């Protein structure tokens, strides 16, 4: 009996223990499964959220890329003033397929935009194709039109290029096309740079100086009735262009296609015979080679020379037959310049002209740069080139050459882009020391003495020096009566800082304009001769009067 009980007890206990173990396992398994399920759901929710955020980010990137495709960096003047600004704008389009009530929509639009051509709007609505209703809409009108709540009205945000200075820098800045690509000026030559960075492009030009110079060119356009004009103001020591104007110009905001050749950039693209301004180069080359000095006398100078089938004569028969080199340049003698050129011979004169950069196309910050017309050298060509006849170059190259001759003989590269001081290359001398000082003194006398041809530029306090150039324009089979009148000025002569080039393309005399003499008392009414001394020099003098005080204050350290 006892044994049987023991067996029964053991079996019961085993069953009890077995059941207890099974219950614990179920509870633990259910608990783990529940926790796993909770974590699984959290993971799924979190993953969905990540995917959602990722898609939003992707959409934002697409939108960002759409905006960035039209991005162009701003352009500033040397003082940080905006010349070009990229701003956000909104275009309003209409999708006719989604219009709820055409009649009601048209009534509302007419109330907001009464000056629209609604016959054209109705025509576009009937074609059932998306069209732009209003581009660059004002914020006020944007709010009004969106309050209509019509789902057919679509707003598109775009980037727009605006030009606050309108015409003032049109030839420098240039234009962009409908695809936001630069097609001229800095917009073209710096196209990739402007698209790939947010950093503004800072220029060397000065808005105030540019405005004043352009104002004088516009004023004298009506006085001398010229076909066009150009002016360049440049720092002779580093090549920074403070102002560069070509007139006529155009409003960049209108984005018009300019086909008229009269709108050419005369300052850089125009290639001209510039006349007697080249005599300075002939004298400087003679000094450089040690063949002459400023007081060297040239005696028994003829009034006329024969060269082949052509003859060379003095522009003024009152010029004496015995002259020093200095007097030849002051009085702008043709025959004396020819005699200096003959002493130089072709190799030496050509070498000097190449050195100062007037014979070949110049590298510059914009693509619109003219190329001097090549020619074959010979005895007669040597003679004519000596006094600036039969040789062409651009006003930009003329500015560079006069800067080198006046700054001590150091090479410079004209530039529109503002550089840090450390980026400027070390000065390289290309003309012997002492030549500039001799030439500058003569240029000063051309302006400051009665014998000189540029007395109207003798503005008190600015020590202006310079040389005039009057040249007939070429035509089929020879030369026409139309002229190009040029003045190349430097100031102040005692410590040259600036070169000023003023060119008038086909000026005419004025019977009413009143001149105020600078080197003697009195005035004179009416232009006596259509020469640079009475046209370009007068314009240059007025420009220096206007910009001189600004240069003396704002640019003292330049």
């Amino acid at each position: 009996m006892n044994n049987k009980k023991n067996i029964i007890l053991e079996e019961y206990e085993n069953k009890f223990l077995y059941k207890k173990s099974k219950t614990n396992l179920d509870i633990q398994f259910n608990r783990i499964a529940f926790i796993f399920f909770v974590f699984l759901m959290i993971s799924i929710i979190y993953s969905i959220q990540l995917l959602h955020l990722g898609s939003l980010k992707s959409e934002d990137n697409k939108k960002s890329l759409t905006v960035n495709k039209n991005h162009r960096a701003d352009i500033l003047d040397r003082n940080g003033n905006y010349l070009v600004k990229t701003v956000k704008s909104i275009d309003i389009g209409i999708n006719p397929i989604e219009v709820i009530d055409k009649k009601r929509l048209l009534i509302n639009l007419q109330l907001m935009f009464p000056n629209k051509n609604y016959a054209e709007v109705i025509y576009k609505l009937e074609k059932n194709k998306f069209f732009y209703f209003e581009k660059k809409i004002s914020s006020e009108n944007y709010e009004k039109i969106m309050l209509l709540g019509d789902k057919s009205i679509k707003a598109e945000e775009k980037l727009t290029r605006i030009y606050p200075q309108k015409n003032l820098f049109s030839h420098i800045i240039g234009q962009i096309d409908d695809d936001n690509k630069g097609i001229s000026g800095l917009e073209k030559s710096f196209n990739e740079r402007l698209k790939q960075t947010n950093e503004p492009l800072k220029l060397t030009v000065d808005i105030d100086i540019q405005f004043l110079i352009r104002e004088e060119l516009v004023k004298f356009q009506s006085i001398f009735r010229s076909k066009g004009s150009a002016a360049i103001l440049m720092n002779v020591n580093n090549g920074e262009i403070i102002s560069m104007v070509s007139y006529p110009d155009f409003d960049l905001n209108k984005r018009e296609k300019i086909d008229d050749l009269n709108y050419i950039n005369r300052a850089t693209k125009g290639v001209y015979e510039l006349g007697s301004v080249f005599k300075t180069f002939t004298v400087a080359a003679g000094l450089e080679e040690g063949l002459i000095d400023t007081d060297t006398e040239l005696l028994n100078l003829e009034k006329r020379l024969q060269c082949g089938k052509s003859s060379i004569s003095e522009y003024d028969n009152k010029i004496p037959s015995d002259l020093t080199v200095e007097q030849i340049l002051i009085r702008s003698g043709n025959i004396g310049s020819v005699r200096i050129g003959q002493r130089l011979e072709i190799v030496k004169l050509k070498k000097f002209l190449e050195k100062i950069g007037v014979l070949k196309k110049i590298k510059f910050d914009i693509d619109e740069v003219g190329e001097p017309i090549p020619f074959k050298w010979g005895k007669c060509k040597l003679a004519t080139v000596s006094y600036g006849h039969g040789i062409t170059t651009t006003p930009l190259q003329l500015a560079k050459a006069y800067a080198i001759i006046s700054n001590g003989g150091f090479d410079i590269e004209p530039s529109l882009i503002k550089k840090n001081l450390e980026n400027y290359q070390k000065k390289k001398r290309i003309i012997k020391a002492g030549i500039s000082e001799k030439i500058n003194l003569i240029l000063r006398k051309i302006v400051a003495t009665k014998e000189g041809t540029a007395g109207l530029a003798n503005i008190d306090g600015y020590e202006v020096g310079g040389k005039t150039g009057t040249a007939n324009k070429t035509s089929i089979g020879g030369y026409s009566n139309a002229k190009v009148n040029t003045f190349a000025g430097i100031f102040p002569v005692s410590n040259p800082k600036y070169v000023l080039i003023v060119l008038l393309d086909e000026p005419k005399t004025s019977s009413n304009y009143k001149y105020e003499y600078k080197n003697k008392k009195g005035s004179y009414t009416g232009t006596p001769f259509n020469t640079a001394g009475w046209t370009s020099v007068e314009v240059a003098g007025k420009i220096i009067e206007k910009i001189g005080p600004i240069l003396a204050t704002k640019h003292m350290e330049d």
Side-chain angles (χ1 to χ4, degrees):
M1 288 292 291
N2 291 336
N3 291 335
K4 189 178 180 180
K5 285 180 182 177
N6 287 335
I7 291 168
I8 292 170
L9 181 60
E10 286 176 11
E11 187 178 347
Y12 176 77
E13 285 176 355
N14 286 338
K15 285 181 180 177
F16 175 76
L17 288 171
Y18 172 75
K19 286 181 178 178
K20 184 178 180 182
S21 177
K22 183 180 178 182
T23 305
N24 284 340
L25 283 171
D26 285 343
I27 292 170
Q28 288 173 10
F29 177 78
N30 290 338
R31 220 176 253 169
I32 291 168
F34 177 74
I35 292 170
F36 176 78
F37 176 76
V38 169
F39 274 105
L40 179 64
M41 292 304 295
I42 290 171
S43 298
I44 291 170
I45 292 168
Y46 183 69
S47 298
I48 291 169
Q49 183 67 9
L50 280 176
L51 289 170
H52 176 63
L53 290 172
S55 67
L56 285 177
K57 190 174 181 181
S58 177
E59 288 299 315
D60 286 344
N61 283 341
K62 286 178 184 177
K63 289 179 183 176
S64 176
L65 285 170
T66 302
V67 172
N68 286 340
K69 184 179 76 171
N70 293 321
H71 168 77
R72 293 183 77 84
D74 300 332
I75 300 178
L76 312 176
D77 84 336
R78 66 186 301 116
N79 302 307
N81 299 304
Y82 282 103
L83 307 184
V84 189
K85 177 75 176 168
T86 296
V87 297
K88 290 181 180 179
S89 68
I90 298 175
D91 293 346
I92 297 296
I94 296 176
N95 186 0
I97 298 172
E98 298 183 68
V99 174
I100 300 169
D101 186 336
K102 284 185 181 180
K103 188 175 180 180
R104 182 181 175 186
L105 177 63
L106 284 167
I107 291 171
N108 285 324
L109 292 176
Q110 283 178 312
L111 289 172
M112 291 183 202
F113 304 92
N115 297 323
K116 283 277 184 184
N117 181 353
Y118 282 92
E120 186 179 342
V121 173
I122 292 168
Y123 171 74
K124 289 179 179 178
L125 283 170
E126 289 174 351
K127 286 185 72 176
N128 282 336
K129 289 184 179 180
F130 177 87
F131 66 94
Y132 286 103
F133 175 77
E134 180 79 0
K135 290 192 174 184
K136 300 178 186 178
I137 194 170
S138 68
S139 56
E140 182 183 354
N141 284 334
Y142 169 73
E143 290 179 10
K144 288 179 182 178
I145 201 167
M146 296 311 291
L147 283 173
L148 293 178
D150 196 313
K151 66 178 183 178
S152 67
I153 296 172
K154 311 293 181 182
E156 290 185 8
E157 187 177 277
K158 291 188 176 180
L159 293 178
T160 303
R161 201 78 161 149
I162 61 170
Y163 305 88
Q165 310 306 325
K166 297 181 179 179
N167 295 48
L168 195 55
F169 294 93
S170 57
H171 289 97
I172 293 175
I173 301 299
Q175 294 181 296
I176 58 173
D177 62 15
D178 292 335
D179 295 322
N180 205 40
K181 182 180 178 182
I183 56 175
S184 64
L186 293 172
E187 292 279 30
K188 179 182 179 183
S189 57
F190 282 80
N191 185 61
E192 294 306 313
R193 152 73 169 79
L194 292 167
K195 290 173 71 172
Q196 293 174 3
T197 179
N198 289 319
E199 188 71 24
L201 184 64
K202 193 167 186 179
L203 306 189
T204 60
V205 295
D206 184 300
I207 283 181
D208 297 330
I209 302 292
Q210 182 89 349
F211 174 81
L212 291 172
I213 291 178
R214 181 183 182 275
E215 192 175 50
E216 291 303 310
L217 292 186
V218 173
K219 182 179 78 175
F220 280 98
Q221 182 86 357
S222 60
I223 293 170
F224 295 127
R225 296 165 290 144
S226 53
K227 183 179 179 181
S229 55
I232 299 173
L233 179 72
M234 186 173 75
N235 186 313
V236 301
N237 297 308
N238 58 24
E240 286 189 349
I241 292 175
I242 312 299
S243 173
M244 188 171 76
V245 182
S246 179
Y247 189 80
D249 47 33
F250 47 92
D251 186 348
L252 290 169
N253 293 295
K254 294 180 180 179
R255 293 177 70 168
E256 298 173 318
K257 187 177 180 181
I258 309 295
D259 293 322
D260 189 342
L261 288 176
N262 200 37
Y263 285 86
I264 186 176
N265 185 347
R266 285 176 166 82
T268 64
K269 185 71 173 174
V271 176
Y272 306 95
E273 281 194 23
L274 297 173
S276 297
V277 288
F278 267 71
K279 292 172 183 173
T280 305
F281 307 151
T282 304
V283 171
L287 294 172
E288 169 87 350
E289 294 295 334
L291 298 173
I292 55 169
D293 207 337
T294 56
D295 59 358
T296 300
E297 289 185 311
L298 279 78
L299 307 175
N300 302 316
L301 296 170
E302 305 92 327
K303 297 300 178 186
R304 184 180 296 272
L305 287 174
Q306 195 67 29
C307 194
K309 295 180 181 179
S310 303
S311 63
I312 300 168
S313 60
E314 294 289 13
Y315 84 95
D316 183 357
N317 284 326
K318 294 180 181 177
I319 293 177
S321 297
D322 297 338
L323 294 169
T324 63
V325 168
E326 179 181 273
Q327 290 169 337
I328 288 169
L329 195 53
I330 291 172
R331 304 193 68 150
S332 198
N334 290 341
I335 305 300
S337 299
V338 170
R339 292 303 185 206
I340 296 171
Q342 289 171 339
R343 290 191 184 190
L344 280 162
E345 299 180 331
I346 293 172
V347 173
K348 292 184 177 67
L349 182 57
K350 182 183 177 184
K351 178 185 173 184
F352 187 85
L353 295 177
E354 286 176 337
K355 192 158 50 175
I356 59 175
V358 295
L359 291 184
K360 294 181 180 179
K361 187 175 181 179
I362 191 174
K363 289 184 178 180
F364 193 48
D365 297 317
I366 59 177
D367 293 344
E368 294 77 29
V369 177
E371 184 169 5
I373 300 170
F375 58 86
K376 186 177 180 181
W377 287 88
K379 288 185 177 180
C380 287
K381 181 59 74 172
L382 171 65
T384 59
V385 167
S386 300
Y387 67 95
H389 182 77
I391 182 170
T392 61
T393 197
T394 66
L396 178 65
Q397 289 169 276
L398 185 70
K400 173 180 176 172
Y402 267 81
I404 293 169
I405 282 175
S406 65
N407 72 10
F410 296 97
D411 195 14
I412 57 99
E413 293 298 332
S415 179
L416 290 164
I417 309 303
K418 187 70 177 172
K419 302 180 182 71
N420 296 325
L421 288 175
E422 58 267 22
N423 291 337
Y424 284 106
Q425 294 181 347
K426 187 177 180 181
K427 287 185 177 182
K428 177 185 176 185
R429 181 184 292 282
I430 59 173
I431 297 176
K432 291 177 182 176
I435 305 297
S436 288
E437 288 76 7
K438 291 180 178 181
I439 290 291
N440 290 345
L441 287 175
I442 302 175
L443 296 179
R444 175 60 184 150
K445 290 179 181 179
I446 292 171
V447 174
T449 63
K450 292 179 181 179
E451 293 77 19
T453 57
L456 293 171
N458 193 24
I459 309 303
D460 286 342
Y462 297 105
E463 285 188 286
V464 181
K467 183 71 187 78
T468 54
T470 303
N472 290 82
K473 296 183 78 171
T474 56
S475 63
I476 298 172
Y479 287 83
S480 68
N481 291 323
K483 296 180 184 296
V484 174
N485 292 349
T486 310
F487 177 67
I490 59 162
F491 62 100
V493 165
S494 59
N495 182 25
K497 283 189 175 181
Y498 305 103
V499 56
L500 173 65
I501 305 297
V502 175
L503 178 145
L504 301 184
D505 190 349
E506 297 188 19
K508 290 140 186 97
T509 57
S510 171
S511 58
N512 300 319
Y513 184 72
K514 186 177 181 180
Y515 294 88
E516 296 292 338
Y517 289 123
K518 304 294 189 298
N519 296 332
K520 58 182 179 180
K521 292 181 179 179
S523 60
Y524 188 90
T525 301
T527 310
F529 303 104
N530 188 5
T531 60
W534 290 97
T535 56
S536 300
V537 175
E538 176 68 3
V539 179
K542 295 298 182 184
I543 286 173
I544 293 169
E545 277 185 321
K546 293 285 181 68
I547 69 174
I550 300 175
L551 293 175
T553 52
K554 285 174 70 174
H555 300 280
M556 284 179 68
E557 301 303 319
D558 287 354

